[in-house]
Each structure stands twice: as structure tokens, then as C-alpha cells.
Amino acid sequence: MKGKSLTPIADARNLGPVTADELASIGILSLEEMIDMGWEEVCIRYVEAYPERLNLNAFTAIIGAIENQDWRKVDSATKIEAKLLIKKIKSGNY
């Protein structure tokens, strides 16, 4: 990402200061990093460090930030994928 202006996590849509600090603590510092990683990887790393964030609202906030849309407007198919990832994480099969 050299030479490219990066968007700090704190400026990403849907992500408040607590989430921004938590993501920064695990080395995710910009929206562009999240986009490059993909929402699944971001969510997995996030809940590995913060297990209490294993919920659909947290995941849809991350998806919405990556897609630059309100977390409540994440499409149904993506929400289903997020729910499946949550189940996989809970079962340890991710």
C-alpha cells in the first residue's frame, strides 16, 4: 500500500472507537488492510483476540465497513455467510 493514502480504522463506517482500538491492537490499522484481508479473515482474527465479539452485529459492522454501507443494510446472502462463519468458529472448524 505504499504511496497510497490509507483510511484509519477509526474513520471507517460502522466502527466506533472501541472497535477501532481493538482492531488496532491486533495489527489492523486501516480500512484498506481490512479490504485486502476480506471480512472473513478480519472477523476470525478479531474474535480470536476478543471472543466476546463473536456475534452477527460485530460481523455485519465489519462487512459494512469494508463495503462502505450501513451495517443494517448488509445483504441477506452475506448475513447468512456471516452466520455460517460464526457457527464454524463456535465449533472450532474454521
Side-chain angles (χ1 to χ4, degrees):
M1 302 212 191
K2 252 183 183 174
K4 186 178 177 184
S5 178
L6 300 178
T7 306
I9 288 294
D11 294 343
R13 191 170 187 166
N14 304 314
L15 305 178
V18 171
T19 304
D21 287 347
E22 290 173 348
L23 289 170
S25 78
I26 60 171
I28 302 171
L29 305 175
S30 73
L31 177 59
E32 291 76 14
E33 287 177 282
M34 290 176 60
I35 292 168
D36 288 345
M37 290 172 67
W39 69 264
E40 296 95 337
E41 184 64 26
V42 173
C43 290
I44 289 168
R45 290 185 188 189
Y46 190 36
V47 299
E48 284 176 342
Y50 297 94
E52 69 276 15
R53 301 297 185 223
L54 183 59
N55 64 72
L56 187 59
N57 286 345
F59 283 25
T60 54
I62 289 168
I63 295 165
I66 289 171
E67 295 180 353
N68 193 29
Q69 68 177 350
D70 186 285
W71 67 274
R72 294 166 291 205
K73 300 202 186 236
V74 170
D75 68 81
S76 301
T78 306
K79 283 184 184 175
I80 290 169
E81 289 179 39
K83 287 177 185 178
L84 290 172
L85 181 57
I86 289 168
K87 281 185 179 182
K88 285 181 180 179
I89 292 170
K90 284 182 177 179
S91 70
N93 296 319
Y94 60 98

